[in-house]
Amino acid sequence: MTIAGSVKALRWGMGFQSRGASRRQYFSIANKSFSQGVILRVRRDLERKVYGRRSASTETGEGKSGHINAGPNEAILFFDNVFPLKLRWLLQLPWHAERSVPDLMKRVNNPNVAAADPMSIIKRATPPQVPMKITEILPRLKEGGAFVKFSHPDGVTAEEIEGTLRGYLKDQPIKPWFNPFRRVRTFLVQGRPWVEDLYRFPSSRLKVEFIPTSPGGEAAELSQEKLYSLFRRYGKLGDIMPQPADSKILPKFAFLNFIRVRHAIMAKNCLHGFRVIEAEGGGKAGTELRLMYEQKIQAHWIRDWLVNHPRLVIPAVAALVATVTVAIFDPIRTFFIKAHVTHSLHLTNNKVYRWFKTQAKDILTFRHHKSEDAGLSAIWDDRKDNIEQIQTWLMETADTFIVVQGPRGSGKREVVVDQALKNRKYNLVIDCKPIQEANGDSATIGAAAMEVGYRPVFSWMNSFSSLIDLAAQGTIGTKTGFSETLDTQLAKIWQNTASALKQIALEGRKKDDKDAALDDDSYLEAHPERRPVVVIDNFLHKSQENTLVYDKIAEWAASLTTTNIAHVIFLTNDVSFSKSLGKALPDRVFRQISLGDCSPEVAKKFVITHLDAESDDDEMDEDKKLSLSQQRDDLGELDQCIEALGGRLTDLEFLARRIKTGETPNKAVNEIIEQSASEILKMYLLDVDKTPRKWTPEQAWLLIKQLGEHEVLRYNEILLSDTYKSEGESTLQALEQAELITIVSSNGRPHSIKPGKPVYQAAFRRLTEDHVLKSRLDLAIFTELIKIETASIDKYEAELHLLSKLPKQPNELTPRVQWLLGKLQACHGRVEGYEKESSVLKKILQAEY
């Protein structure tokens, strides 16, 4: 009986045994097919269950050489599905994964589950009936399998044992717990596998390189048919891609795409190092196959794609950032704006704080200074009509602005915020002064956000994103859209504020109201009393520097009024506010209130009331019954002092405080006038501040000198003077913006000029009484006038010189020549007069200090 016959009988017997046949039946059948000697040997091997001495190698082969050597009567099998492929990421960790993974498997595996332990899987896959002795097991963790080195008797070949095991595993499938849908498979290793522990992980694509069997030899490139015949037995192939014909890359190669990763693993471990002989198409010297995994997806391809497509990626990232910002931060910002308007986060509005203050009233004395309130009460009585007018307008539905105009210090904010709006629950006051005076876009954005409670605000990101945008523009040639202009940032702040104000206006609305069927806009139009009030203070402050902020505020305010979200009140010192507001609401007539200075009677009452309120705040003896105004015997000077000081509230309050410190009214007024004169000298006349001005000291001094002599000047008379010949109107407007003068209009045209503040009248007079200062500035004016006349003389002489070059003097030119000569004579006479007066002024400067 041949060995093949005995193996055939062995397979048949194993199958019979798998069906439940007894061992005695198996041997009785085997005796009919095999010779006596072979039967005894097979029976002895099966009954003894000889496996021999087993040893487990590391993942790098014998002696960490990277190879497994098989001697005579030895062969190697590769079993797959022994370890889970999903655990291969553990091999990238810094500790020794080749030792930690088996320990982990022992801890995770349930010993009660069949085929749980990887070693038991291999043991069950090699039944004792097979004539083989396992000598070494080499696990391949990252490939999910193991190499099994075994020895076999002389009468049995490795191919026969492979066929027996494959048939057994097909009839008795072993399915591990981590992959219950796939059975364990095994194939005979035909090549010389390279067992390495590099960071190369399995893939369903294999790269097959054709290597010569000896150095300097020549390898043959196998055809697709031959590759298919070699590799198809290990699993389903998806495609075979040979090397392009025009490729000069050596060694030659081909790509094999398997349907499953485990099929590629089995093929690589079984055929790596396999030699194809000449008869099978391997060339004269044969060809060796070198296999390696080829990643289908290129490493870092996402990162590379992002880097290589900045024109698509950067705008997409900008849009994503904007979307996330709107989705996450906008509700937060709206919440903080609402809290800023409703004062819900203020301590004074907290119920616990108010209860504590009520309970501690008898223990602690909460002192409140009533001087300012009492002093201003006299002003409120005088301006009661203006306060009631504003309150009436706030109860109406007209979609227009309310403008309160008046000089600085006239009490605009106090009239509106403290009196007209004191019974309104929700008010938002926006001061334009810190916004306009902020340096840079980031500071401007931060100041605007602070005024409305807009937070969180990342104003520093504006500069950072501008740098990114600039770098991207230099790289890809277009802007990325990361950076936003100041216009856009301010629009976001005002838009969030409008949303918060609308939510506040609709808070009191209920479903059972009689007008519940109305939409939001109609409801707000029908209930103007529910709208919050937005007060914009210091509107057009330093508007000559930049109008962007005021344009955006005016547009936003127009949208608030036209959509019935809120009432808007502008407080401004500028008399030309209609130009700026007219751009936002061109078809509306503004409701305007002009606040001026107090009358002398009201001013005197204000000072006396202020003094008496101050005395009430101080601790007085019980014997002291008289108020401070009754104790002072020098208050009779108040009438004369107020006449010189005027009715500006800030000046009157300053006067009252100086009198309270013990100064007489006359001394206090003299100090105020002296301080105002020093302020005028520094701000308008001397070149102490190097910032550019739209006027010259000579132009400012001309107005000061004439206003010191006359309370009112004719507007057109000033424009006709030689000092204001060049851009006279713009200079006067600049001086009005700087609050040196006030231009009074009538019927829409300017007609007179007054001092910017009432106290400036006395200050102008004080400055003109200084002979040295007056002589110095008058000398500067005469010097300027001499320059003007000299320029005119040069022009007339040039024309006369041109006419003198004519070959003949026509009679028609005689009037022109006479006119030029008359002009020359007049200019020369004025120059002589200016020089005479200048010489007198120079003598004064040389003689006096």
Side-chain angles (χ1 to χ4, degrees):
M1 178 75 61
T2 63
I3 294 298
S6 63
V7 172
K8 181 177 180 181
L10 177 61
R11 291 179 181 174
W12 181 85
M14 290 174 60
F16 192 86
Q17 187 180 18
S18 66
R19 296 181 180 90
S22 64
R23 183 174 296 183
R24 181 174 301 174
Q25 291 173 328
Y26 165 70
F27 283 119
S28 64
I29 295 172
N31 284 333
K32 297 179 182 179
S33 304
F34 298 95
S35 61
Q36 187 67 28
V38 175
I39 292 299
L40 292 175
R41 185 178 63 211
V42 173
R43 180 184 294 178
R44 184 172 60 252
D45 291 340
L46 292 174
E47 287 180 347
R48 289 181 181 178
K49 193 182 178 181
V50 178
Y51 279 88
R53 182 181 62 85
R54 300 180 187 178
S55 62
S57 302
T58 64
E59 280 209 354
T60 55
E62 299 173 356
K64 296 186 178 182
S65 62
H67 296 285
I68 308 176
N69 298 318
N73 291 339
E74 287 184 339
I76 304 171
L77 291 170
F78 184 79
F79 290 83
D80 72 348
N81 213 15
V82 177
F83 296 98
L85 283 176
K86 300 299 182 183
L87 290 179
R88 59 189 178 187
W89 60 270
L90 289 172
L91 301 175
Q92 301 182 16
L93 299 178
W95 58 78
H96 297 290
E98 64 268 13
R99 284 181 287 178
S100 63
V101 174
D103 295 340
L104 179 65
M105 291 293 296
K106 290 180 181 179
R107 295 181 183 181
V108 173
N109 288 324
N110 187 352
N112 297 324
V113 179
D117 186 10
M119 293 300 104
S120 67
I121 293 175
I122 297 176
K123 181 178 178 181
R124 292 190 61 211
T126 55
Q129 296 87 347
V130 180
M132 59 180 294
K133 180 171 61 175
I134 298 176
T135 60
E136 186 177 359
I137 298 175
L138 191 147
R140 296 293 295 167
L141 300 179
K142 66 180 179 181
E143 295 177 318
F147 288 100
V148 176
K149 184 178 178 180
F150 67 94
S151 61
H152 56 85
D154 292 336
V156 181
T157 63
E159 288 76 8
E160 293 173 344
I161 294 176
E162 176 196 13
T164 302
L165 292 179
R166 290 183 61 193
Y168 173 76
L169 292 176
K170 185 175 182 180
D171 295 336
Q172 300 288 335
I174 301 174
K175 298 179 180 180
W177 64 271
F178 52 82
N179 193 2
F181 302 105
R182 296 289 174 185
R183 62 184 178 88
V184 176
R185 299 190 310 155
T186 185
F187 282 93
L188 184 67
V189 177
Q190 300 182 17
R192 191 185 184 207
W194 181 31
V195 287
E196 35 75 23
D197 56 355
L198 304 174
Y199 287 115
R200 299 178 181 178
F201 297 96
S203 171
S204 60
R205 171 179 287 188
L206 287 180
K207 182 180 181 180
V208 183
E209 294 183 348
F210 309 112
I211 309 298
T213 55
S214 61
E218 185 177 353
E221 183 177 0
L222 301 185
S223 63
Q224 296 186 41
E225 292 82 355
K226 183 59 182 178
L227 291 174
Y228 181 86
S229 63
L230 289 175
F231 287 91
R232 178 59 182 86
R233 65 193 303 258
Y234 300 106
K236 173 70 174 176
L237 285 167
D239 192 11
I240 299 176
M241 295 177 291
Q243 184 178 5
D246 57 348
S247 176
K248 298 182 180 179
I249 299 177
L250 295 177
K252 296 292 185 178
F253 63 89
F255 289 110
L256 303 179
N257 290 333
F258 284 88
I259 298 300
R260 301 188 180 277
V261 177
R262 289 191 179 273
H263 298 168
I265 293 173
M266 182 67 74
K268 176 193 180 284
N269 288 303
C270 292
L271 288 182
H272 182 86
F274 177 72
R275 295 191 176 186
V276 183
I277 60 177
E278 181 181 3
E280 296 179 356
K284 293 183 179 181
T287 300
E288 183 177 332
L289 303 182
R290 184 166 64 190
L291 308 181
M292 62 187 68
Y293 298 115
E294 184 75 15
Q295 296 297 328
K296 275 190 174 182
I297 301 177
Q298 186 180 2
H300 310 299
W301 69 273
I302 297 179
R303 182 191 65 189
D304 295 340
W305 189 89
L306 294 176
V307 172
N308 294 329
H309 298 79
R311 295 192 178 185
L312 299 176
V313 173
I314 295 178
V317 172
L320 180 62
V321 171
T323 304
V324 172
T325 302
V326 171
I328 297 177
F329 290 108
D330 274 15
I332 299 175
R333 289 162 175 165
T334 304
F335 167 78
F336 278 111
I337 294 172
K338 289 175 62 178
H340 179 79
V341 177
T342 59
H343 307 287
S344 59
L345 301 180
H346 288 198
L347 180 63
T348 55
N349 294 331
N350 188 274
K351 294 182 179 180
V352 177
Y353 173 81
R354 287 185 291 180
W355 176 87
F356 175 77
K357 184 176 180 180
T358 304
Q359 298 299 320
K361 187 184 299 182
D362 299 333
I363 304 174
L364 303 176
T365 302
F366 295 92
R367 186 174 180 181
H368 176 64
H369 293 276
K370 300 181 180 179
S371 58
E372 295 184 3
D373 296 340
L376 290 173
S377 62
I379 307 299
W380 306 149
D381 293 339
D382 184 51
R383 297 179 175 177
K384 184 178 180 181
D385 294 339
N386 294 331
I387 296 172
E388 293 177 350
Q389 182 64 68
I390 295 175
Q391 292 175 344
T392 303
W393 285 340
L394 293 177
M395 298 301 295
E396 297 178 0
T397 328
D399 50 350
T400 185
F401 300 141
I402 300 175
V403 182
V404 179
Q405 189 275 330
R408 187 177 60 176
S410 57
K412 299 183 294 297
R413 182 167 180 145
E414 291 79 6
V415 168
V416 174
V417 178
D418 298 339
Q419 295 301 311
L421 302 180
K422 64 180 179 181
N423 296 325
R424 303 284 299 198
K425 190 174 181 180
Y426 301 128
N427 304 316
L428 174 62
V429 180
I430 300 175
D431 191 356
C432 298
K433 185 176 180 180
I435 303 175
Q436 182 69 5
E437 292 181 350
N439 295 324
D441 292 351
S442 298
T444 303
I445 295 168
M450 183 68 68
E451 291 299 317
V452 298
Y454 179 92
R455 60 176 65 90
V457 55
F458 308 108
S459 56
W460 56 271
M461 282 294 294
N462 194 47
S463 301
F464 181 71
S465 58
S466 297
L467 294 176
I468 296 178
D469 207 359
L470 184 61
Q473 187 175 6
T475 304
I476 64 178
T478 58
K479 290 186 176 182
T480 61
F482 269 116
S483 62
E484 293 181 336
T485 61
L486 177 62
D487 189 351
T488 308
Q489 293 278 9
L490 290 177
K492 282 186 177 181
I493 295 176
W494 306 138
Q495 183 180 0
N496 279 84
T497 306
S499 301
L501 292 173
K502 186 173 184 179
Q503 294 178 16
I504 292 172
L506 296 172
E507 275 183 353
R509 192 177 186 186
K510 299 179 181 179
K511 295 182 179 180
D512 54 353
D513 291 340
K514 60 181 181 179
D515 50 4
L518 297 177
D519 58 358
D520 293 343
D521 294 338
S522 301
Y523 176 81
L524 293 176
E525 185 177 1
H527 295 275
E529 73 281 356
R530 293 190 177 274
R531 304 179 209 165
V533 180
V534 178
V535 180
I536 301 175
D537 194 11
N538 287 317
F539 185 68
L540 297 181
H541 172 74
K542 292 185 178 180
S543 59
Q544 66 276 8
E545 297 179 0
N546 185 12
T547 60
L548 174 63
V549 173
Y550 297 119
D551 291 341
K552 297 305 296 183
I553 291 178
E555 292 175 4
W556 172 65
S559 66
L560 292 181
T561 55
T562 53
T563 56
N564 298 312
I565 294 177
H567 301 284
V568 181
I569 302 177
F570 286 94
L571 310 180
T572 180
N573 307 333
D574 199 330
V575 295
S576 60
F577 61 87
S578 58
K579 295 180 181 178
S580 179
L581 296 181
K583 298 177 183 177
L585 284 178
D587 56 345
R588 299 290 192 277
V589 178
F590 308 133
R591 292 176 168 176
Q592 179 182 352
I593 291 178
S594 296
L595 298 180
D597 298 325
C598 301
S599 63
E601 294 78 12
V602 176
K604 182 178 179 179
K605 185 178 178 181
F606 170 81
V607 174
I608 294 175
T609 309
H610 201 284
L611 291 174
D612 293 341
E614 288 279 1
S615 63
D616 291 341
D617 287 339
D618 295 335
E619 295 182 2
M620 297 184 298
D621 298 334
E622 294 182 359
D623 302 341
K624 224 174 208 181
K625 302 295 183 182
L626 298 178
S627 64
L628 184 59
S629 62
Q630 294 172 342
Q631 299 173 26
R632 299 288 294 263
D633 55 359
D634 54 359
L635 294 184
E637 305 172 358
L638 274 179
D639 294 333
Q640 181 181 359
C641 294
I642 289 176
E643 183 180 355
L645 191 63
R648 191 66 54 89
L649 287 182
T650 52
D651 296 334
L652 294 174
E653 186 177 0
F654 191 26
L655 173 64
R657 290 184 177 179
R658 294 186 76 95
I659 295 175
K660 177 66 174 60
T661 60
E663 294 183 1
T664 63
N666 283 331
K667 183 180 179 181
V669 169
N670 286 330
E671 291 292 336
I672 294 174
I673 293 173
E674 187 67 30
Q675 184 177 352
S676 299
S678 301
E679 178 183 338
I680 294 169
L681 189 64
K682 180 180 178 180
M683 292 180 59
Y684 305 102
L685 299 177
L686 300 181
D687 292 331
V688 177
D689 191 1
K690 298 300 182 182
T691 55
R693 298 171 176 174
K694 295 185 178 180
W695 68 86
T696 62
E698 293 79 14
Q699 291 173 327
W701 174 249
L702 180 63
L703 292 175
I704 291 171
K705 184 174 65 171
Q706 295 191 15
L707 285 173
E709 299 173 359
H710 310 283
E711 293 183 0
V712 181
L713 300 178
R714 297 182 184 87
Y715 182 83
N716 294 320
E717 183 181 359
I718 297 297
L719 291 180
L720 292 175
S721 62
D722 293 335
T723 308
Y724 283 89
K725 277 186 177 180
S726 176
E727 298 181 355
E729 289 195 278
S730 61
T731 303
L732 290 176
Q733 290 176 1
L735 289 170
E736 184 186 24
Q737 292 286 343
E739 298 183 353
L740 177 66
I741 59 173
T742 299
I743 299 176
V744 182
S745 299
S746 176
N747 297 326
R749 66 169 182 85
H751 72 90
S752 60
I753 298 175
K754 292 183 178 181
K757 296 169 63 176
V759 72
Y760 278 1
Q761 181 76 40
F764 292 163
R765 195 177 298 113
R766 182 72 57 89
L767 289 174
T768 56
E769 291 173 356
D770 187 347
H771 296 291
V772 175
L773 177 64
K774 184 175 181 298
S775 299
R776 175 187 169 183
L777 294 174
D778 284 345
L779 180 62
I781 290 179
F782 287 137
T783 304
E784 187 69 24
L785 293 175
I786 290 173
K787 290 181 180 178
I788 295 174
E789 297 297 336
T790 303
S792 299
I793 291 173
D794 292 340
K795 182 177 65 173
Y796 300 145
E797 288 179 345
E799 186 174 353
L800 288 172
H801 181 69
L802 180 62
L803 294 176
S804 65
K805 291 185 177 181
L806 294 176
K808 293 182 180 181
Q809 297 294 330
N811 294 329
E812 290 79 4
L813 290 179
T814 302
R816 180 64 179 177
V817 172
Q818 292 178 354
W819 181 85
L820 291 173
L821 292 174
K823 285 290 185 181
L824 274 174
Q825 184 180 3
C827 290
H828 183 70
R830 286 193 292 269
V831 170
E832 287 182 348
Y834 296 153
E835 288 181 349
K836 289 179 181 179
E837 294 184 13
S838 298
S839 61
V840 175
L841 296 175
K842 290 179 182 178
K843 290 179 180 179
I844 296 175
L845 293 176
Q846 292 172 354
E848 298 184 13
Y849 291 97

